[in-house]
Structures are given as structure tokens and as C-alpha cells.
Amino acid sequence: MAEAAPAIVLDKVNKWYGAMHVLRDITMNVDQKERVVVCGPSGSGKSTMIRCINRLEQHQQGRIVVDGTELTDDVRALDTIRREVGMVFQSFNLFPHLTILQNCTLAPISVRKMPKAEAEELAMDFLRKVKIPEQANKYPGQLSGGQQQRVAIARALCMKPKIMLFDEPTSALDPEMIKEVLDTMVSLAESGMTMVCVTHEMGFARMVADRVVFMDRGEIVESGTPTRMFEDPQTDRLKLFLSQILRGH
Amino acid sequence: MTPPASIAIAEAGPAPTRERPPASVYGPFAWVRANLFNGIFSTIVTLVLGVAIAWALYGFLKWGVANAIWSVPTTATGALDPTACRAAHGTGACWAAINDKWRFMLFGRFPYDQQWRAGICIALFIGLFYVSSDRRFWRKELAYIWAATLAVIFTLMWGGVFGLSYVPQDEWGGLPITLILATFGLALAFPLSVLVALGRRSTALPAVKTLCIVYVELIRGVPLIALLFMANVMFPLFMPVGLNPDKLLRAQVAIILFAAAYLAEVVRGGLQALPKGQAEAADALGLTYWQKTLKITLPQALRLVIPPLVNTFIGFFKDTSLVLTIGILDLLTASKTAMADPVWQGVSTEIYIVVAMVYVAFCYTMSSYSRSIERKLDRARNR
């Protein structure tokens, strides 16, 4: 693939829930190794947008191209994309009936057909990177929220994805656990991963984002570098949003 | 110098941590006080119920033990003389009838000298259940054990090979029939029900979904008895001449189809109860539909529905007795037939009690097994 080809292309993407227009003409490119933070008030469509990228939601109009493959009803194209795109959810979504290690090895073994021993070695590698190798044989219910979310990150990384999507990864965490998850994400960003991250953590956005995208009522209102966005917001909607966010801090 | 009391307490340091609550809330007396005599109202209820239970128990023991007739003399012609039983009718139980009739109750019209074969079949079924209940044996080999055991069971029942005399199917009866109907009924209905439940939730295959809905609603809307009648009377009319599966098989198919419709709704309930995030996480990892279903959603859903699943299992174990309406001699029907013996006229309560005990033994085993497996699964996950 050509070096310049963007990792993700969203071209005039539209989506409706019944009569509600939740995504309006979303057009956005994410370059290889680019780190994009998407923010906006709740109900702004940011989660829906990120979930369209690996088709947990279907868009109804426009084009989405991920890693050179267009998302259509073609199941094989979808499988290809999902293998290359990792996702981390707000509610962790670890599999409670499997151990931490099994959570991490399941997809490499069944989807990538990796031998079990190799998958376990890989999983332990990533569990060490997120700093919880000693929990490998426990069940998710025995871990704290922060630990579970780090496992979820490790689980996604075990598929060796080219792109990582984060859907409000720290919103369900107690304050003292947010840092450990953000630290993990920062070191992932430093390793050169392409990342799209829906989050309200402005400190994280400042530290790692190449670009911040602000969404409201289903459309992209403004985007730019974190410094420009936070210090010189152009639109009233972003100004209002920032003032509300900062008041909370 | 003695410091003031308040300081003395403060200097005593932290109170010693108790590893268990004070002794006064332990032991049988404490239990009785807390649960049976906890206030005036509860004391009155306890006393009233206690008297009622003691009175009922006294009556039952007088009838079932003290005044019971355990055996009767044989007449000069070699027949049993039931006079003693007739005399005790209404005041004492006639267990002598059970003594005489238990083999007919258990094996129905199976040839008397061959009944050891049916007896072995019962033992094999129980052994099969026992082995299957142990999680250590939950491996592929278990399927072979099932196949082999069932083959042996049918060889023993039918005979006609290995020097065993041939026993036509309409001579089978009693407990083996109940166990055959229940075991095959549930063992085949369960996988079918999982497929139907999955089909009914399918979004990608609307035709399959409609088919599953129609199947469940149609079968559920008909009483099992009606289905058994249909299997017995109507089904042969549609079959080509000469090709007529036997009555037991037709009843068996009806039971499987009926049970599957009910179980499918139970399984669907479990799938419905799973958080959506589980399926989404599996999708996001790139698992295929079947990988997601077999490794993520189904194991969790089935674990959630163990109580209603076992509830349905127990219900169907007992519902197999409805085959009496089409003249198959299961445990209950064989026992009712045994009552018709003119020698033991009037002896029915005793026979019903014995039959009930057999059913209770099987059903209670099922329910305590389900409780133990729930406990084990919970412990494994520490939730």
C-alpha cells in the first residue's frame, strides 16, 4: 500500500436512527500513525461515528474506507477490516467466563489461527506492557475497573491491529483508575499506533493528539491541533463545550 | 493510681477483632429462637403448624407402618390370599400388593423371565446420567460412551441377537419407557432448541427467523396430549403403506418437538439477558458468527438459564407420563394397569405412593445437581 494512503476515510457519511439524523455528512481522513481525539457533548454522534468504522453500526449513506478496504455488506471485507481494527469500549466488555489470558488469546487462536503456545506468549507480552501479567489466570470479575480496561487494551492489541479505536475508555472508571489507563494509552500512542479516541480527557488530548475533532448534533463542527482548538476556539459551540468541560475540572 | 474509667477504655487499644459473630447467634437453640419463636405471632404459627404436622405424620405412620400388611399367605392353589389386605382396607396400607406387583410396575408387559434385561437398562441409564454429570468426563469421549450405552440398551430391550429372545416394542413398559422417552426427548430437544433460539434471534436470515417463530408458536399453542394423538393417529395416515415407524418412536418425536419449542424460549431468554457489549466485543475482535456464538454468547447464556432449563427438564420428565393417552405403558401407566389386578382390588394409594417416590427420586436428583453445578460455576468466577 502506498505510504500516503490514509488509514481511515470517511466521506459524507450519514446515518439515521428512525427519523433521527445522528450523523450528518461526516467527512474526515485519519492518516497512518495519526492520533485523533474526538470530543463533543453527549448525543453528539461521536460514539456512533467511531462504531461505524468497524461496522458495529451501519452507515446508510456515504463511503467508509478502512486500511484500503471499503465497508460494504460484503462479509469478507468486514472480516478483513475487523481483524485490522482493535476496539476498546467504555464498559470494557471482557468475557466474564474466560480468564484474563483466555480473553487475550481467544481471537488470535480462532481468528488468526495462531498456535496456542504462541498466542499465550504474545498475550503475556502485552499483559506485561499494560503491567498486569500477574493477573493472567484470574477472571475479569476479580479485577478492578482500571485493570479490566488495561486487559481490554491488551486483548485488542493481541490481534496486532493497525488501527485502534477507543470509545470513551475512561468514562466508566473511578477517578483514581483513570490515570493508569491513560498512561497505557499514552505509551501506545508513543509506539506509533494509528488511534481514534473518543474521550473527554483534555489532558490526554493535549499530550498525544495530532488533531482534535469536535462534534455536535451529528456533525463535525471544528477540528485542528489541540493547542489551536483549546486556546483559540473558533465556533461558539466549541467555546461553550470547553467552558462546560473546564468548569468540571 | 487508677485512671478514670474513660481513659482506661481508651488505653485498652482497639477492640479485638472478632472472627465470627458472638456465640449467642449460633447453635440449634439460637436458630430455633430466631426462626421459629421470634415473637408472639411466629410462636403461635409454629405451634399450630407443629401440631398439624405431627397429627398428619401420626396418621400416616399408623396407616403406613403400624397397621400395614407387609405380606399375605399363599392359598392351597398357589395364589396369594388378599383377605388380610381387604380387612385392613382404609386403616392400614397393603404393601403386600407392591411386593407382588413391583415387577409389573417397573417393567410392564416385558416377558417375565427376560425382565433382567430391562433391569440392566435402567441401571445403564442411571450410570449414564451419573457419568455425564461429572465435569471431569465432559470430553469428546463422552459422546462415544453415550452412543455405546444407548446401543447396548436397545440391544437388550429388543433382543433378537446374541441369543436374546426378540421382544416387540409394544411389550416394553414401565420405567425403561419413561427413561427412554425422557432421555432421548431432552438430549435431542436441547440442541434443537438452541438452534431454534439462535434462528429466532437471527437478523441476517429473516426466512429462518420466521420459520423458528412459526415453529415455536405453533407447537407451544397445542397441548402435548393433542400432539401425541396426532403423532399416533394422524401421522400414519400421511405415511406410505408399509412405512410406519412404531408407536414409541412417533410419541418420542412428538415429545422432542414439544420440548424443543419450550426449551428454545428458555435459551432465547438467556441470550436476551446478555449485555449487548459481549457480542460487540466478539464482533470487534473479528470472530465469526459461530465462533462468537459457541465461545462467547451461548456459554454465558446457558449458564444464566440453568434454573429455568432444569425446571423445564423436570417438567418434561414427568410429562412423558402423558403417553398413557396413546396406550404406551410408561411407569405411571404400567402401575395403573397393575392396580387393575382383581386380587388387589382397592389398592391404589400404595401404588401411587411408590410411583411418586420414583419420580421424586429422579426429579430431586436433577434439581440438586443443577444447584451444585450453579455453585461450582459461580465459585469458578468468584462473582
Side-chain angles (χ1 to χ4, degrees):
Chain A
M1 190 189 295
E3 193 62 29
I8 303 168
V9 178
L10 297 168
D11 184 16
K12 287 198 187 289
V13 172
N14 278 282
K15 178 171 177 65
W16 291 262
Y17 284 131
M20 202 164 62
H21 200 171
V22 289
L23 293 181
R24 299 165 190 258
D25 278 339
I26 301 285
T27 298
M28 173 175 92
N29 284 3
V30 178
D31 288 329
Q32 310 263 356
K33 304 200 173 182
E34 193 181 15
R35 293 166 312 241
V36 176
V37 164
V38 182
C39 61
S42 70
S44 61
K46 52 197 193 308
S47 280
T48 309
M49 193 263 292
I50 203 173
R51 286 159 61 88
C52 279
I53 296 175
N54 63 353
R55 214 175 179 75
L56 290 182
E57 307 277 355
Q58 286 187 26
H59 60 289
Q60 285 139 345
Q61 219 176 62
R63 279 171 73 237
I64 300 181
V65 182
V66 180
D67 191 32
T69 311
E70 180 166 359
L71 270 175
T72 56
D73 285 329
D74 181 9
V75 180
R76 251 174 309 162
L78 181 59
D79 284 346
T80 316
I81 288 171
R82 282 182 174 164
R83 246 175 282 153
E84 305 305 334
V85 178
M87 186 158 198
V88 175
F89 300 85
Q90 178 177 350
S91 48
F92 327 141
N93 293 345
L94 293 181
F95 305 130
H97 61 305
L98 302 178
T99 64
I100 298 307
L101 189 63
Q102 287 167 335
N103 262 280
C104 293
T105 56
L106 176 69
I109 291 173
S110 19
V111 180
R112 293 243 190 249
K113 310 291 172 212
M114 196 182 277
K116 189 168 174 241
E118 195 185 322
E120 284 180 351
E121 208 173 303
L122 179 76
M124 287 310 293
D125 258 5
F126 280 114
L127 287 176
R128 268 190 288 275
K129 279 196 182 126
V130 301
K131 304 199 172 65
I132 31 177
E134 70 282 0
Q135 313 281 7
N137 292 314
K138 290 193 182 166
Y139 286 87
Q142 297 166 288
L143 269 57
S144 74
Q147 289 173 323
Q148 290 195 46
Q149 193 60 298
R150 283 184 282 153
V151 172
I153 295 173
R155 175 176 73 176
L157 291 177
C158 282
M159 282 295 282
K160 303 236 176 107
K162 293 181 181 154
I163 300 164
M164 283 286 283
L165 306 175
F166 291 85
D167 186 4
E168 305 206 27
T170 55
S171 302
L173 294 175
D174 292 334
E176 75 269 23
M177 292 172 182
I178 290 178
K179 186 177 177 301
E180 63 187 56
V181 170
L182 287 181
D183 285 348
T184 309
M185 289 167 64
V186 169
S187 65
L188 183 62
E190 281 162 358
S191 73
M193 175 68 75
T194 309
M195 289 165 70
V196 179
C197 187
V198 172
T199 182
H200 291 149
E201 293 298 328
M202 294 305 138
F204 172 77
R206 268 179 206 276
M207 203 186 313
V208 305
D210 298 311
R211 188 150 51 104
V212 173
V213 172
F214 172 65
M215 285 180 74
D216 191 17
R217 286 173 228 159
E219 52 193 3
I220 295 180
V221 178
E222 203 176 329
S223 74
T225 62
T227 325
R228 214 277 291 141
M229 291 285 281
F230 296 144
E231 266 143 43
D232 184 22
Q234 303 291 307
T235 57
D236 291 342
R237 281 199 264 179
L238 178 56
K239 281 177 198 163
L240 178 67
F241 175 70
L242 287 175
S243 72
Q244 281 165 342
I245 283 266
L246 295 177
R247 203 182 309 146
H249 278 246
Chain B
M1 255 177 38
T2 323
S6 61
I7 295 178
I9 290 169
E11 280 175 354
T17 46
R18 285 209 176 104
E19 301 211 329
R20 38 175 63 205
S24 63
V25 301
Y26 265 91
F29 284 109
W31 187 91
V32 165
R33 201 172 45 218
N35 293 290
L36 300 182
F37 298 100
N38 179 23
I40 289 179
F41 179 70
S42 103
T43 305
I44 292 172
V45 170
T46 301
L47 291 177
V48 169
L49 286 179
V51 168
I53 291 169
W55 184 69
L57 205 63
Y58 170 75
F60 180 78
L61 289 177
K62 203 168 96 180
W63 174 81
V65 180
N67 295 343
I69 309 296
W70 297 91
S71 60
V72 289
T74 314
T75 59
T77 54
L80 290 169
D81 174 20
T83 322
C85 265
R86 301 241 167 100
H89 188 66
T91 55
C94 177
W95 299 120
I98 305 289
N99 209 5
D100 179 38
K101 281 293 173 188
W102 68 273
R103 285 183 59 165
F104 190 87
M105 291 165 66
L106 270 189
F107 305 121
R109 279 196 273 273
F110 208 84
Y112 196 81
D113 59 340
Q114 298 292 318
Q115 283 177 358
W116 57 272
R117 285 157 53 180
I120 292 178
C121 288
I122 294 174
L124 283 174
F125 267 120
I126 293 173
L128 193 60
F129 301 150
Y130 181 77
V131 169
S132 310
S133 70
D134 196 327
R135 297 184 77 201
R136 278 176 303 165
F137 295 115
W138 289 3
R139 280 182 269 136
K140 259 189 212 134
E141 291 83 342
L142 192 58
Y144 303 127
I145 294 179
W146 267 74
T149 312
L150 294 178
V152 172
I153 284 172
F154 279 100
T155 312
L156 281 169
M157 290 300 283
W158 252 304
V161 286
F162 307 127
L164 297 170
S165 59
Y166 171 66
V167 180
Q169 184 261 300
D170 48 2
E171 289 180 16
W172 302 5
L175 189 55
I177 289 276
T178 298
L179 291 177
I180 287 173
L181 286 173
T183 308
F184 277 90
L186 295 172
L188 295 176
F190 181 59
L192 179 62
S193 74
V194 170
L195 289 178
V196 172
L198 292 174
R200 193 164 175 176
R201 282 174 54 84
S202 163
T203 45
L205 306 167
V208 172
K209 180 176 178 160
T210 313
L211 192 71
C212 291
I213 293 176
V214 169
Y215 166 72
V216 169
E217 297 306 334
L218 217 58
I219 299 271
R220 251 197 333 186
V222 177
L224 178 54
I225 293 192
L227 212 59
L228 288 170
F229 275 134
M230 272 194 262
N232 193 37
V233 184
M234 278 168 58
F235 186 67
L237 301 178
F238 305 134
M239 294 302 284
V241 182
L243 185 76
N244 195 5
D246 65 37
K247 203 199 254 180
L248 186 64
L249 182 59
R250 278 179 273 142
Q252 179 75 79
V253 170
I255 287 177
I256 291 171
L257 291 179
F258 197 73
Y262 273 85
L263 291 171
E265 287 298 280
V266 173
V267 174
R268 192 168 69 96
L271 290 167
Q272 215 100 299
L274 271 196
K276 223 173 127 210
Q278 290 293 311
E280 285 179 353
D283 282 339
L285 283 169
L287 299 183
T288 63
Y289 174 79
W290 285 109
Q291 287 170 340
K292 170 177 73 177
T293 303
L294 293 176
K295 292 187 171 145
I296 306 300
T297 50
L298 209 47
Q300 295 187 64
L302 292 181
R303 185 170 307 187
L304 281 175
V305 295
I306 289 174
L309 215 50
V310 172
N311 192 30
T312 315
F313 275 27
I314 289 176
F316 272 97
F317 182 80
K318 293 174 299 177
D319 280 356
T320 54
S321 57
L322 287 174
V323 293
L324 89 101
T325 55
I326 57 170
I328 293 175
L329 248 65
D330 76 317
L331 176 62
L332 182 63
T333 321
S335 304
K336 275 179 77 82
T337 312
M339 284 176 209
D341 189 329
V343 178
W344 302 111
Q345 227 176 351
V347 178
S348 57
T349 315
E350 295 84 342
I351 290 182
Y352 280 131
I353 286 176
V354 171
V355 172
M357 272 163 28
V358 176
Y359 277 110
V360 166
F362 279 98
C363 295
Y364 181 75
T365 311
M366 270 194 263
S367 75
S368 38
Y369 175 64
S370 95
R371 260 176 290 144
S372 85
I373 203 144
E374 269 181 81
R375 262 198 312 274
K376 271 181 205 151
L377 291 173
D378 276 355
R379 209 179 304 143
R381 273 198 299 168
N382 193 24
R383 288 223 306 196

